[in-house]
Amino acid sequence: MDINSDYDSFIKRIGRLNLYLGVTSLSLIFFAIVSVIFLASNLFFIVITIFVYSIIFGINYTITNNVKKRVITDFARLFEIDIEDDLTELNNTISMYKKGEFEQIEASFTNKKHRRSRGFDDKGPTGGVLISPLDKDNQRIDAMKNNDYQDLNEDITAGQALIREADEKYAKKSEERWKNSESKDADLIEAGVERLGDLLKTDWFEKNAKDGAIKELYNDED
């Protein structure tokens, strides 16, 4: 993406729209004044003339302003500039561009683009989920009408019971293995303690400190 050309094009287009609005507004005011002067003797035509020019002025201003807003919105969306509350960030960005601070603008755009795309990345924090449960646009769920958790007190299924039983047996077996391992650990026996937690409370590790002990846990190929 050519940031320079996009910024130049945006600045020129906004400038042309502002110039057009200023010239047409002044022209309408001028012609309205001239018309009133020529029709000074007829109050009815003066009122009609002012009314017609006011309508033309309003239509011209509305159309030009809408075009300007659309141009700003498209530009802000392209470079991830926040204009929801006001145009402060947009004005600051344009100011940086005019000062030649291109690196800051490009870095800001790159970071925003990266953060925006992380939602689509399986390794991203959202796991690819784009809708947040705290999104203000989410449909309200009445707690009194929510039946998602109505059956929590009912009996579990056979499959759930089997999984629970397996988890309990595995936990019990793991605990037995751990205790058995501790009872046969030479370092624990040497220190005169029964549990690894008790060994940590002693000065055994300070007395048996060894350089490169961590490296010995890994193979040379690793």
Side-chain angles (χ1 to χ4, degrees), residues 19 58 99 120 199:
L19 179 62
K99 293 178 182 178
F120 298 93
L199 182 65

Side-chain angles (χ1 to χ4, degrees), residues 169-203:
K169 288 184 177 180
Y170 182 79
K172 185 177 181 180
K173 194 170 185 179
S174 297
E175 185 178 1
E176 291 175 354
R177 288 177 177 175
W178 177 259
K179 290 182 178 180
N180 184 47
S181 177
E182 284 185 322
S183 65
K184 297 179 180 180
D185 190 282
D187 295 331
L188 296 180
I189 296 173
E190 179 184 349
V193 295
E194 296 181 355
R195 304 177 64 84
L196 178 60
D198 297 330
L199 182 65
L200 294 174
K201 298 177 182 179
T202 67
D203 58 352

Side-chain angles (χ1 to χ4, degrees), residues 95-112:
S95 177
M96 284 192 296
Y97 177 79
K98 291 180 178 180
K99 293 178 182 178
E101 299 174 353
F102 307 111
E103 294 182 358
Q104 295 185 23
I105 297 174
E106 188 171 5
S108 176
F109 171 67
T110 303
N111 290 338
K112 289 181 179 180

